[in-house]
């Protein structure tokens, strides 16, 4: 998912923030590395996923 990918980019090669401002700056710079096609592909199908959640509940996909 997006947040997992962003986290990987931010902390790649063991990077660690020394301050809040440094972390914010790093996140902003890494956000620029995501391509538009990647972001669009993440959003593809979101309407049907949200409808499924609304109709069946949040955990419906985990039930067997």
């Amino acid at each position: 998912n997006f947040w997992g990918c962003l986290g990987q980019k931010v902390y790649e090669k063991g990077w660690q923030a020394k301050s809040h401002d440094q972390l914010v700056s790093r996140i902003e710079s890494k956000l620029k590395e995501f391509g538009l096609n990647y972001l669009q592909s993440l959003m593809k199908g979101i309407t049907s996923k949200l409808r499924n959640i609304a109709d069946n509940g949040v955990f419906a996909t985990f039930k067997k």
Side-chain angles (χ1 to χ4, degrees):
N1 70 28
F2 174 75
W3 297 111
C5 291
L6 178 59
Q8 286 179 346
K9 284 182 175 284
V10 168
Y11 295 105
E12 66 190 355
K13 298 179 184 174
W15 184 87
Q16 293 182 359
K18 293 181 175 59
S19 69
H20 178 266
D21 290 339
Q22 188 181 37
L23 177 59
V24 170
S25 178
R26 176 80 169 196
I27 290 169
E28 289 173 344
S29 70
K30 294 300 179 176
L31 280 170
K32 293 175 184 174
E33 294 180 11
F34 286 99
L36 182 58
N37 289 338
Y38 172 73
L39 296 173
Q40 287 174 332
S41 71
L42 283 178
M43 297 307 292
K44 194 176 271 186
I46 194 75
T47 303
S48 62
K49 291 174 186 174
L50 291 173
R51 172 53 47 207
N52 185 41
I53 291 169
D55 292 344
N56 303 306
V58 176
F59 300 106
T61 57
F62 297 110
K63 293 179 184 175
K64 291 188 177 198

